[in-house]
Amino acid sequence: MKIPFLDLQAAYLELAPELDEAYHRVMQSGWFILGGEVDAFEREFADYCDAKQCIGVGNGLEALHLILRAMDIGPGDEVIVPSNTYIATWLAVSYAGATPVAVEPDRRTFNLDSARIEAAITPRTRAIIAVHLYGQPADMDPIIEIARRHNLRVIEDAAQAHGARYKGRRAGSLGDAAGFSFYPGKNLGALGDGGAVTTDDENLAERIRVLRNYGSSIKYHNELKGYNSRLDELQAAFLRVKLRQLDAWNARRSAIADCYCDTLRNSGLTLPFVPEWADPVWHLYVVGSRLRDLLQQQLAGQGIGTMIHYPIPPHLQPAYADLKMRPGDFPVAEKMAEQVISLPIGPQLSSADQELIANCILQAELEC
């Protein structure tokens, strides 16, 4: 590809001296699990998210799973999830032994539609997971209001929303707890895998700290049946370097999104809708086209990489055949899966490449 969907090598090269220094610092320390780098990153990321607590864990899926486990949500319980999300949101619920209950998204924002939530609540419902999809915050106030009326917990799936704001407040500080992913392609990405939980609930935070480390707060004393899910020192050191650059890189993503919105306004594509209360960080720039597959092929022919997030909704995945959901059960999510395509929007994307992508899309749309 002349223009890859995401250039992770370019991201490394921009910060190479600082990342290399972090690598050598950890290697020379001789301490690789739950040490000073993790402690420092947890403090710094909690401050960044305006949260009181941060707990580094193995990845974003485990962040959500450990939140549910720490809330004692498990077999016999139900958790409301979006029908349009990456399957990890659903898997976290399944890992806890609970049942995911899908609710359709808002057709404009692609995020959980609060107007549909109450119809899905049953006596078994324990929590709502609101996903900040593509880096745009979900409309949290009505979700939280519904949850409080029904005595439910609210969990943010903030895996794509590092730095996003909702009515001026950071993602990661809006619900009872939030799960983040540091997969390399995220806005704040490690050079391997990683994740974190943020929360203001100190008791919940302490329970997650115990659960992530074999259920132990004192070595060889196991209070709980826990897990091995720990952010390692090396990734924490890399994340500390990247965290200092996160706002600047998010600003670059926002400028690219503005360029796309201006250039493609009359293209015939369905462009992202941003409510006035949202300050997204544009993890993905997702457009809609009835001729999505043809558009993707034509862009690939011009050397432009794109991706589809996500081609199969969770309810139609073989993994969830046991829930006996069929095509047509969630038509909003299914339509999105058929039409969405994600354009390159990494912070290292040059102005010339942005212009080339937009021009190729306009030409491709004409040909379609």
Side-chain angles (χ1 to χ4, degrees):
M1 289 291 176
K2 291 185 291 188
I3 303 176
F5 176 72
L6 181 62
D7 190 345
L8 293 177
Q9 183 183 39
Y12 163 72
L13 292 174
E14 183 173 336
L15 298 176
E18 297 95 327
L19 292 169
D20 290 350
E21 189 279 329
Y23 166 81
H24 288 292
R25 185 174 70 243
V26 173
M27 292 300 102
Q28 292 168 5
S29 76
W31 194 287
F32 305 114
I33 299 290
L34 295 184
E37 296 290 344
V38 171
D39 288 344
F41 174 73
E42 289 177 339
R43 291 193 301 271
E44 291 161 9
F45 194 62
D47 288 344
Y48 179 84
C49 294
D50 299 324
K52 293 180 180 178
Q53 300 286 330
C54 172
I55 309 97
V57 298
N59 55 63
L61 169 56
E62 291 173 0
L64 294 173
H65 173 221
L66 290 173
I67 292 170
L68 293 164
R69 179 77 169 80
M71 291 178 174
D72 289 321
I73 293 173
D77 297 328
E78 294 176 349
V79 177
I80 290 174
V81 295
S83 60
N84 180 54
T85 184
Y86 184 53
I87 198 171
T89 312
W90 289 43
L91 289 174
V93 178
S94 299
Y95 283 4
T99 300
V101 175
V103 169
E104 290 270 63
D106 182 291
R107 294 176 186 272
R108 299 181 304 167
T109 67
F110 292 4
N111 276 324
L112 190 61
D113 186 346
S114 60
R116 298 173 183 259
I117 289 175
E118 287 198 274
I121 294 174
T122 76
R124 298 171 59 192
T125 308
R126 294 286 310 282
I128 302 168
I129 299 182
V131 180
H132 304 315
L133 196 66
Y134 310 148
Q136 176 160 294
D139 191 2
M140 294 299 293
D141 282 353
I143 293 172
I144 291 171
E145 192 275 331
I146 291 168
R148 296 300 174 249
R149 272 195 284 115
H150 292 273
N151 195 30
L152 306 177
R153 308 301 292 270
V154 176
I155 300 166
E156 298 172 73
D157 182 340
Q160 301 180 359
H162 315 73
R165 291 185 183 272
Y166 172 76
K167 298 183 179 180
R169 293 174 288 158
R170 291 274 198 196
S173 67
L174 304 171
D176 294 304
F180 286 87
S181 167
F182 303 127
Y183 183 76
K186 304 297 186 185
N187 291 41
L188 179 61
L191 303 187
D193 225 331
V197 174
T198 57
T199 183
D200 286 346
D201 186 331
E202 295 187 4
N203 291 330
L204 185 70
E206 182 56 32
R207 189 170 171 85
I208 293 170
R209 286 194 178 93
V210 171
L211 284 169
R212 74 172 174 182
N213 189 37
Y214 297 99
S216 172
S217 57
I218 301 172
K219 196 173 181 67
Y220 300 131
H221 291 259
N222 302 85
E223 305 104 77
L224 300 171
K225 294 175 182 176
Y227 307 88
N228 177 13
S229 180
R230 304 172 296 197
L231 180 66
D232 70 62
E233 286 286 284
L234 190 57
Q235 298 306 329
F238 292 148
L239 288 166
R240 293 183 68 199
V241 171
K242 289 191 166 187
L243 181 59
R244 296 193 290 269
Q245 190 68 20
L246 179 57
D247 284 342
W249 280 6
N250 283 344
R252 291 188 204 171
R253 288 175 179 268
S254 183
I256 296 168
D258 288 344
C259 175
Y260 282 151
C261 288
D262 290 342
T263 308
L264 301 175
R265 193 175 307 279
N266 298 314
S267 66
L269 298 174
T270 301
L271 301 184
F273 171 79
V274 180
E276 62 181 3
W277 42 256
D279 184 8
V281 291
W282 299 104
H283 173 61
L284 299 172
Y285 188 89
V286 179
V287 299
S289 172
R290 292 188 299 274
L291 299 172
R292 187 267 311 279
D293 294 342
L294 180 58
L295 175 61
Q296 185 175 46
Q297 292 170 11
Q298 293 189 353
L299 291 177
Q302 297 296 317
I304 297 170
T306 59
M307 291 191 70
I308 297 171
H309 297 90
Y310 301 97
I312 305 173
H315 72 280
L316 297 181
Q317 294 282 4
Y320 281 100
D322 61 307
L323 297 183
K324 302 186 186 307
M325 292 177 282
R326 298 187 295 263
D329 284 351
F330 297 96
V332 179
E334 291 169 29
K335 182 178 179 181
M336 291 174 182
E338 292 170 356
Q339 296 187 0
V340 296
I341 181 170
S342 302
L343 308 181
I345 196 170
Q348 284 73 38
L349 189 69
S350 70
S351 297
D353 285 346
Q354 295 168 42
E355 183 177 353
L356 176 60
I357 292 166
N359 287 336
C360 286
I361 289 171
L362 293 172
Q363 183 62 39
E365 281 291 291
L366 288 173
E367 292 177 2
C368 290

